[in-house]
Amino acid sequence: GCPHGARDYDDDIEMLMKDIRRGNVSLIVAPAIKTAFDGSWRHVLQWLKDSGVKDVYDVSFGADICTYLHIQYVNKNPAAKIISQPCAAIVNYAEKHKNELFKSLSPIQSPMMCSAIYVKKYLGNNDTLVGLSPCIAKGDEFRNTDGIIKYNVTFRKLAEYIKKNNVHLKTGHSEFEFSDARGFDGAFYPIPGGLKECLRVYNPDLSVTTSEGVGKIYEDLDVYLETSRDKLPTVFDVLSCEFGCNSGVGARDDFNTFNAYDVMVNAKNWAFKQNALKRFHRGIFRKLDINDFLRGYTDRHV
């Protein structure tokens, strides 16, 4: 965002609050919420449920799906060389300015889309789906992927709405729990190299390189296109935001790298303590059809 506050953006917060009153709205929530609202993220989500939201789903689970399907894809295509696409800003760049990247962009949907597809197709939830994220580019992703997710609401605008409307969140212990399956390792995705770490949980020898930050990644993508295929990593894990999704434009103004990393590491350590059957969702993942979670890319040249 602009450090002087001269530029701002709109998201779909007002549309969400109108639709909540009509009913049949469910949220899918990016794992970066843990750093966006500090210790009060559960209270924020409980307030949204109390306001009329029906179900609230954990996108960390969608990230776990995303990791699992990347491993399946690479196993079936051992010669594959792919660029990760959870970052909607990177996808926008490819679709609007650099179509040459299409042949390399991963065909696996992002964690938010994996969550949405799972909720719609496998849980049969036909509510209006709202993505709660730290990313303004997600709005384009949602519009360009069949509108499965109708609205993009950012943490920053939600926090502003809460403040402006004098919402008093509860304090102390919160009873809030996500609907259906929770994610484990996927909670680490918002940190730079998050996908890389998750992939290596499955395959420690997988060749994965990372790059992030607007001052670096777009030059690196040019170099990637010029590099001989045999020199490329199996997966190039890329993010437009230098400190990952936690530092997204729609996250928070007073972002602190160390605080964010501490929260994410605690989430990761919590995942490590789960038994493997639960942590890797083996019962659920056996039923997934990879074809449900694939996407293509469109020339939207500017």
Side-chain angles (χ1 to χ4, degrees), residues 22-80:
R22 296 189 195 117
N24 299 327
V25 172
S26 287
L27 293 183
I28 57 171
V29 183
I33 192 169
K34 294 182 179 71
T35 60
F37 290 100
D38 292 326
S40 66
W41 65 272
R42 287 174 178 274
H43 299 95
V44 170
L45 294 179
Q46 186 61 55
W47 167 70
L48 284 165
K49 284 200 82 170
D50 294 343
S51 300
V53 167
K54 280 174 64 184
D55 281 299
V56 181
Y57 298 99
D58 182 13
V59 170
S60 300
F61 176 67
D64 284 347
I65 292 176
C66 185
T67 303
Y68 172 77
L69 294 179
H70 272 88
I71 292 294
Q72 298 303 306
Y73 181 80
V74 167
N75 287 347
K76 285 178 186 165
N77 302 274

Side-chain angles (χ1 to χ4, degrees), residues 20-255:
I20 280 178
R21 292 188 271 278
R22 296 189 195 117
N24 299 327
V25 172
S26 287
L27 293 183
I28 57 171
V29 183
I33 192 169
K34 294 182 179 71
T35 60
F37 290 100
D38 292 326
S40 66
W41 65 272
R42 287 174 178 274
H43 299 95
V44 170
L45 294 179
Q46 186 61 55
W47 167 70
L48 284 165
K49 284 200 82 170
D50 294 343
S51 300
V53 167
K54 280 174 64 184
D55 281 299
V56 181
Y57 298 99
D58 182 13
V59 170
S60 300
F61 176 67
D64 284 347
I65 292 176
C66 185
T67 303
Y68 172 77
L69 294 179
H70 272 88
I71 292 294
Q72 298 303 306
Y73 181 80
V74 167
N75 287 347
K76 285 178 186 165
N77 302 274
K81 304 286 183 180
I82 55 179
I83 298 172
S84 71
Q85 64 82 286
C87 178
I90 299 286
V91 174
N92 270 350
Y93 174 68
E95 292 197 322
K96 293 177 180 177
H97 306 289
K98 210 78 167 176
N99 292 174
E100 308 96 285
L101 291 167
F102 286 179
K103 63 182 184 294
S104 302
L105 276 182
S106 171
I108 307 297
Q109 298 265 20
S110 71
M112 291 206 90
M113 289 305 303
C114 284
S115 280
I117 291 162
Y118 181 78
V119 163
K120 288 277 188 198
K121 181 144 192 171
Y122 291 81
L123 299 182
N125 181 331
N126 290 315
D127 291 348
T128 295
L129 286 188
V130 178
L132 191 51
S133 82
C135 178
I136 57 175
K138 282 290 173 191
D140 290 323
E141 178 180 316
F142 300 161
R143 280 186 289 276
N144 297 337
T145 46
D146 301 327
I148 296 171
I149 303 173
K150 187 172 183 184
Y151 299 135
N152 181 42
V153 174
T154 60
F155 301 140
R156 179 176 295 185
K157 293 296 181 184
L158 178 58
E160 287 174 10
Y161 182 93
I162 288 170
K163 188 174 179 183
K164 188 171 79 179
N165 290 277
N166 296 312
V167 173
H168 295 290
L169 299 173
K170 292 174 184 169
T171 55
H173 175 71
S174 171
E175 298 294 329
F176 173 82
E177 289 294 345
F178 284 108
S179 305
D180 201 66
R182 282 204 64 174
F184 294 103
D185 294 83
F188 203 67
Y189 259 59
I191 285 291
L195 173 61
K196 173 183 176 179
E197 291 214 22
C198 289
L199 289 170
R200 285 189 166 169
V201 168
Y202 281 92
N203 180 355
D205 300 320
L206 191 66
S207 169
V208 190
T209 307
T210 67
S211 179
E212 49 275 323
V214 291
K216 183 171 187 294
I217 177 53
Y218 298 102
E219 286 180 19
D220 284 350
L221 287 171
D222 285 341
V223 174
Y224 183 96
L225 290 170
E226 294 161 8
T227 301
S228 146
R229 189 179 168 82
D230 62 312
K231 299 287 193 294
L232 295 173
T234 302
V235 180
F236 187 28
D237 179 16
V238 295
L239 294 170
S240 191
C241 291
E242 186 177 359
F243 300 107
C245 309
N246 289 300
S247 65
V249 173
R252 58 187 293 170
D253 292 316
D254 60 340
F255 173 74

Side-chain angles (χ1 to χ4, degrees), residues 61 65 68 118 122-123 180-182 184 277-278 280-289 293:
F61 176 67
I65 292 176
Y68 172 77
Y118 181 78
Y122 291 81
L123 299 182
D180 201 66
R182 282 204 64 174
F184 294 103
L277 196 66
K278 186 178 177 187
F280 298 112
H281 313 283
R282 285 178 181 155
I284 299 173
F285 284 3
R286 272 201 302 269
K287 299 169 190 165
L288 301 182
D289 180 350
F293 298 89

